[in-house]
Amino acid sequence: NEEGLPEVAIAGHSNAGKSSLLNALVGLPSRRGLASVDPRAGWTEALHLYRVESSGNLPIALVDTPGYGVAVVQAGYTPRWFDALARYTEASPHLACALLLADCTRGLCRLDLAYLRLLEGREVPCQVVLTKADLMEPPDLARSFQVVKGDLDARGQGHPPPVLASA
């Protein structure tokens, strides 16, 4: 970003809720917020930076990223989106931290772990956010949380425990 603002990347699998979380973070309704939201996966096709300010705090840039994995677009696009995310992560001098969103009904996928490796390699702090928590019964949600927490702990990188989010 041209202003040199600290960037917070919001990344994850297609349909994990990245745009919805971005809108919630700025206090706007999901369907009419800054980031467009669609029930079909794969509609964010590029990096979108949003300058965000709040009273008494320094401004930051929230970065809405394309999802990787299954999407409604032509085959071959989503690998390019992961590559674009990787290039951004490796090259951005302003990337301060990342929110890695994972659907709690699925846990961390292979590409989530690949993105974590990229962040760890750059020593960029990451918070895993387990989305769609409202879709699971409490005992199943607790198991999902423990599995992801165990995956993070096993990395030995000092990641904080995941946080839960729902629509």
Side-chain angles (χ1 to χ4, degrees):
N1 68 69
E2 295 173 3
E3 294 181 71
L5 298 175
E7 295 171 356
V8 178
I10 301 175
H13 204 275
S14 297
N15 209 30
K18 295 173 297 299
S19 298
S20 295
L21 179 66
L22 185 147
N23 289 333
L25 288 172
V26 298
L28 294 173
S30 182
R31 300 260 183 240
R32 290 180 303 240
L34 291 174
S36 59
V37 175
D38 194 283
R40 297 169 295 171
W43 288 97
T44 302
E45 297 184 3
L47 297 172
H48 297 281
L49 276 72
Y50 300 97
R51 186 180 202 277
V52 177
E53 294 182 56
S54 66
S55 177
N57 294 309
L58 295 175
I60 62 169
L62 292 177
V63 184
D64 192 15
T65 67
Y68 41 80
V70 179
V72 295
V73 296
Q74 180 180 3
Y77 272 74
T78 55
R80 282 188 265 172
W81 289 341
F82 185 83
D83 292 344
L85 175 61
R87 282 192 306 277
Y88 159 74
T89 300
E90 292 167 348
S92 176
H94 307 295
L95 181 59
C97 67
L99 300 176
L100 175 57
L101 277 60
D103 181 334
C104 67
T105 65
R106 299 176 185 215
L108 297 174
C109 72
R110 178 183 55 83
L111 290 172
D112 293 329
L113 296 173
Y115 188 58
L116 268 176
R117 276 192 299 279
L118 282 171
L119 294 167
E120 291 164 356
R122 285 216 42 220
E123 298 181 0
V124 174
C126 178
Q127 175 64 62
V128 172
V129 179
L130 293 175
T131 61
K132 304 184 182 185
D134 54 321
L135 300 180
M136 295 184 83
E137 294 296 323
D140 296 328
L141 181 58
R143 275 191 293 280
S144 176
F145 178 90
Q146 288 303 323
V147 166
V148 172
K149 182 179 181 310
D151 290 344
L152 293 171
D153 290 347
R155 300 187 70 74
Q157 299 289 321
H159 292 289
V163 296
L164 301 173
S166 60

